[in-house]
Amino acid sequence: MSEPDVFGALANPTRRAVLRLLLERGEQPVQQLADHFAMRRPSLSEHLRVLKDAGLVVERPSGRQRLYSLRPEPLREVADWLDPYERFWRGRLTALRDVLDEAPDE
């Protein structure tokens, strides 16, 4: 079995929006999530499958519905990957602030 493709799953803006909804509003059924998008439920279900395959969401049956919730642990991989870039830009912005602070006021 191949590694979960967290970066591929996050590449799509609809999937990122789904993750944000689950973060902000908690566990939700497919139809409730679909109400936020201009697409049919089967299309959203495909996005949820990609997120589930990447380990970013979990699915739980509840009667006739399937409830989805965020599983944030795989996002650690993304945060770890972004960390050097964040430190780079933080350093650059600090240097810019220092230069601007030293510039004479006009």
Side-chain angles (χ1 to χ4, degrees), residues 1 6 8 16-17 20 32 37-38 43 46 50 59 68 73 84 87-89 91-92 96 99-100 102:
M1 187 168 169
V6 174
R16 292 192 306 269
R20 181 172 296 280
Q32 190 174 341
F37 301 96
S43 296
E46 180 62 24
V50 171
E59 175 186 78
Y68 290 86
E73 295 84 1
R87 282 186 277 127
F88 169 81
W89 283 111
R92 295 284 194 217
L96 175 61
V99 167
L100 293 175
E102 293 173 8

Side-chain angles (χ1 to χ4, degrees), residues 1-105:
M1 187 168 169
S2 63
E3 289 283 317
D5 186 7
V6 174
F7 288 95
L10 294 174
N12 182 280
T14 298
R15 292 193 286 267
R16 292 192 306 269
V18 168
L19 292 176
R20 181 172 296 280
L21 284 168
L22 293 173
L23 173 67
E24 293 172 351
R25 299 179 183 195
E27 185 178 64
Q28 296 182 52
V30 177
Q31 189 56 54
Q32 190 174 341
L33 289 166
D35 290 344
H36 295 277
F37 301 96
M39 68 178 68
R40 294 183 180 249
R41 189 176 138 177
S43 296
L44 185 64
S45 292
E46 180 62 24
H47 286 292
L48 286 166
R49 185 190 62 73
V50 171
L51 291 169
K52 189 172 124 181
D53 289 348
L56 291 164
V57 300
V58 292
E59 175 186 78
R60 178 178 72 81
S62 177
R64 294 177 54 172
Q65 294 185 337
R66 301 242 176 242
L67 301 176
Y68 290 86
S69 58
L70 178 65
R71 188 176 162 270
E73 295 84 1
L75 293 172
R76 171 58 40 206
E77 175 186 356
V78 175
D80 291 346
W81 183 82
L82 286 171
D83 184 59
Y85 299 98
E86 182 182 351
R87 282 186 277 127
F88 169 81
W89 283 111
R90 195 176 325 126
R92 295 284 194 217
L93 292 172
T94 299
L96 175 61
R97 183 194 66 214
D98 293 346
V99 167
L100 293 175
D101 286 346
E102 293 173 8
D105 291 334

